[in-house]
Structure formats: structure tokens, C-alpha cells
């Protein structure tokens, strides 16, 4: 009756069990996103031979193979922001020599590495917290964002933050005794 693109199976008790999607569409921060559109935009950037984008947890991660010199993450974000809305720009860019393939020649999603701190486009050199308060706040940020470390010049959004995580961050900061509001 209604083709949603979702794949489900009917259980013996009559209920439906969600299995996945029939396409590469994902939902992130309330928006439906076609991963192929992001991949095409990445592949159009000079220095990118192949691009695959996956939703890992609640962030978009781009896996890229170089065609010559691969642009820096900040350059990739800037190039993508010309034609894509902010919610479609990956939070992490992982360079690979080649994409891992299964024996059938399809992308081996399980073999793709999780993004590390190098893959996140902070655009600034890491500067460690200088005071005990900065150290506590950076630790809270790191816990909420699920990253190893946060420097004093790092951008919340460049580290994978978004509106839902901002609410979580404000709650965590308040619990630790730091008065904060979402707009802060």
C-alpha cells in the first residue's frame, strides 16, 4: 500500500520486525539522506577517486581513496558545503588506499575502520586544556561526543556534534556545576 523503502519481515505473532532499507537512504537528525548523493559530491572533488559514506552510530563517515593528493578534511567540508546542506556533510573523513571488497566485489562494510581523531575535520591544531575547569569541560565534551580528546579550540560541530548532542552536552555541563544554555 505504501512503499517506504523499509524492509521488514512478519513474525509468527503477526508483528513486523524492521530489517533494513531497500536503498542507501538513512535518517540522520530528522532528515532523510541519500548516501549516494553525498558520495557523488565527494567523487566530484579533485583528488578523490572513490567515496563511500556510511552512517556509524549517529554520524556520517566518508571513506575516500585518493586520486593524487587527497584534500584535507577541512577542504572537503568546504567543497561539500557549496552544494549540500550542513546535515549531509560527513563528520569524519577516513582516507584509504583502496576500499575493502567482499569476494563478490561488493563493499565490505565490516572491514571499514572506525574513524579516529585524525579523521575529524577540526581545522585547528590541538591545544590542550590549560586550567582544571577547561580540563573538566573538555572531558565532558569528549564523553558526549565519543571522541578521545577535545582541545580548547575544537569546534563542537566539527567533532560530530549536532542539536541532540548539544542538549545532552548542556545537561552534562549543568550536572557538573557549569551553568550553560543551548545557545552557549
Amino acid at each position: 500500500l505504501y512503499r517506504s523503502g523499509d524492509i521488514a519481515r512478519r513474525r509468527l505473532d503477526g508483528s513486523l520486525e524492521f530489517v533494513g532499507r531497500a536503498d542507501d537512504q538513512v535518517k540522520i537528525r530528522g532528515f532523510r539522506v541519500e548516501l549516494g548523493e553525498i558520495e557523488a559530491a565527494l567523487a566530484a572533488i579533485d583528488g578523490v577517486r572513490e567515496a563511500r559514506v556510511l552512517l556509524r552510530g549517529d554520524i556520517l563517515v566518508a571513506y575516500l581513496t585518493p586520486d593524487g593528493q587527497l584534500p584535507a578534511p577541512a577542504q572537503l567540508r568546504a567543497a561539500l558545503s557549496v552544494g549540500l546542506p550542513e546535515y549531509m556533510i560527513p563528520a569524519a573523513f577516513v582516507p584509504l588506499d583502496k576500499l575493502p571488497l567482499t569476494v563478490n566485489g561488493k563493499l565490505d562494510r565490516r572491514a571499514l575502520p572506525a574513524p579516529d581523531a585524525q579523521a575529524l575535520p577540526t581545522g585547528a591544531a590541538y591545544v590542550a586544556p590549560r586550567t582544571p575547569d577547561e580540563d573538566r569541560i573538555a572531558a565532558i565534551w569528549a564523553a558526549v561526543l565519543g571522541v578521545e580528546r577535545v582541545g580548547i579550540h575544537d569546534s563542537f560541530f566539527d567533532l560530530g556534534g549536532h542539536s541532540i548532542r548539544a542538549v545532552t552536552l548542556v545537561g552534562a555541563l549543568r550536572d557538573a556545576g557549569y551553568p550553560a544554555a543551548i545557545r552557549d
Side-chain angles (χ1 to χ4, degrees):
L1 294 174
Y2 175 71
R3 295 185 187 270
S4 66
D6 291 334
I7 299 174
R9 73 175 130 233
R10 187 170 303 277
R11 300 174 123 191
L12 292 176
D13 66 1
S15 65
L16 293 176
E17 177 184 1
F18 178 75
V19 176
R21 293 279 306 167
D23 54 18
D24 284 336
Q25 191 180 83
V26 297
K27 192 169 185 178
I28 184 165
R29 295 179 228 137
F31 296 100
R32 289 259 178 217
V33 174
E34 183 64 48
L35 298 179
E37 187 177 346
I38 303 168
E39 292 169 356
L42 281 164
I45 297 172
D46 286 340
V48 177
R49 181 179 342 126
E50 291 179 290
R52 293 293 179 269
V53 178
L54 298 178
L55 183 64
R56 291 187 76 116
D58 59 352
I59 66 168
L60 291 172
V61 178
Y63 294 91
L64 310 168
T65 61
D67 184 20
Q69 179 65 33
L70 194 62
Q75 294 169 315
L76 292 167
R77 283 184 63 80
L80 290 174
S81 68
V82 172
L84 296 177
E86 182 65 31
Y87 64 87
M88 289 179 70
I89 296 175
F93 299 91
V94 179
L96 300 171
D97 292 332
K98 64 179 186 171
L99 294 173
L101 302 176
T102 64
V103 293
N104 296 330
K106 295 181 180 181
L107 180 67
D108 187 354
R109 295 172 189 265
R110 286 187 226 131
L112 292 169
D116 59 11
Q118 303 289 67
L120 295 168
T122 62
Y126 175 75
V127 177
R130 302 159 297 191
T131 66
D133 278 335
E134 284 181 355
D135 196 42
R136 285 181 61 204
I137 291 170
I140 293 167
W141 273 45
V144 168
L145 294 170
V147 297
E148 187 177 317
R149 67 180 187 182
V150 174
I152 62 170
H153 297 300
D154 287 340
S155 164
F156 176 76
F157 296 103
D158 285 348
L159 293 175
H162 50 73
S163 59
I164 302 299
R165 282 191 174 168
V167 172
T168 304
L169 177 62
V170 166
L173 288 169
R174 287 179 181 167
D175 289 348
Y178 296 102
I182 296 290
R183 73 180 153 274
D184 296 336

